[in-house]
Amino acid sequence: MSNNTKVIEQQHSNNHLEYLRSVKGYNVKVLLWQIGVLIGFLVLWEVAATLKWIDPFFTSKPSDIAMLIGRLTVDGSLFKHTLVSVLEALIALGLGTILGTVIAIALWWSDFAAKVLDPYLVVLNALPKIALGPIIIIWAGAGMSGIIVTALTISLIVTILATYNGFREVDAEKIKMLTTFGATKFQILQKVIFPASIPTMINTFKINIGMTWVGVIVGEFLVSKSGLGYLIVYGGQVFRLDIVMAGVIILAVATAIMYQLISWLEDKFLKWRQ
């Protein structure tokens, strides 16, 4: 290998390392700004409530919320309510993803069924499913089952439509090529459709995290005697805004953790594919 080639390779290596350092520095800068914005908001909220720029009876303040979260943690209430809601959300999310994917595969498999069911899926997707909450609770029961079905109803249609549309957007030329070589429909699904749609399915899964939590909280608003939704409703009923805000904050943290976990798994999967 000539000296010029070695010099060029070394230069490329240095440029790549410099690029990686710049990307890492940029990500650190973004993270620090995110933390700074959050801290600034909390400080402004605390000062505004303490100086009575805003009424702390209606808004509470971060110090009161932090102390309440500490008390709920010590007596075990926070763990109990959070565990109930997280369990309901995970079950509904898993069922919604599996059932939605299976139904989307069935629609892709049968073009006739897809055409027949298409208007119904569109209407169900546009329907405000939260309004059906009381009916679902009556049908499915007033316990955890009713809450899970409520959450499942909200996320299922989105999963079906997003996954099915992802299947339809797969390169038609690849499908024609496999068909020409005598591939069966199952082989096309296994070798082309499903692998090509995995990014779409992961994005749908991320969206469903929020949709599922909406269903869980709505169900808990209606019937539950435990869970973060119950905690929020109880706080509103007794005019304890610190309880309401504590429930909302824990809900936001739980949702963020679930989302970050899925993002981490997505990164691992993409690196494995590469």
Side-chain angles (χ1 to χ4, degrees), residues 52-142:
K52 301 298 177 64
W53 297 345
I54 57 177
D55 191 341
F57 177 79
F58 294 107
T59 62
S60 189
K61 56 183 180 179
S63 58
D64 290 344
I65 296 170
M67 287 189 292
L68 175 64
I69 291 175
R71 291 196 299 271
L72 292 175
T73 302
V74 170
D75 67 19
S77 299
L78 186 62
F79 177 76
K80 170 192 169 186
H81 291 298
T82 304
L83 181 62
V84 168
S85 294
V86 169
L87 181 61
E88 292 166 347
L90 289 175
I91 293 173
L93 183 63
L95 289 175
T97 301
I98 294 171
L99 288 175
T101 302
V102 169
I103 295 173
I105 291 173
L107 294 177
W108 173 84
W109 196 281
S110 173
D111 187 60
F112 177 77
K115 283 183 167 50
V116 170
L117 296 177
D118 180 68
Y120 297 101
L121 292 173
V122 171
V123 170
L124 287 173
N125 187 50
L127 189 69
K129 288 166 280 296
I130 293 177
L132 298 176
I135 299 174
I136 294 171
I137 294 298
I138 293 173
W139 288 349

Side-chain angles (χ1 to χ4, degrees), residues 149-199:
V149 172
T150 302
L152 178 62
T153 303
I154 292 177
S155 65
L156 181 61
I157 303 301
V158 174
T159 304
I160 295 171
L161 291 174
T163 306
Y164 174 61
N165 288 331
F167 289 169
R168 293 179 60 187
E169 291 173 1
V170 175
D171 190 355
E173 294 301 321
K174 293 181 180 179
I175 298 174
K176 288 181 181 178
M177 183 179 67
L178 286 179
T179 303
T180 302
F181 285 106
T184 64
K185 200 151 191 174
F186 179 76
Q187 289 173 327
I188 294 173
L189 174 67
Q190 182 184 21
K191 301 296 184 181
V192 178
I193 300 296
F194 205 78
S197 302
I198 286 177

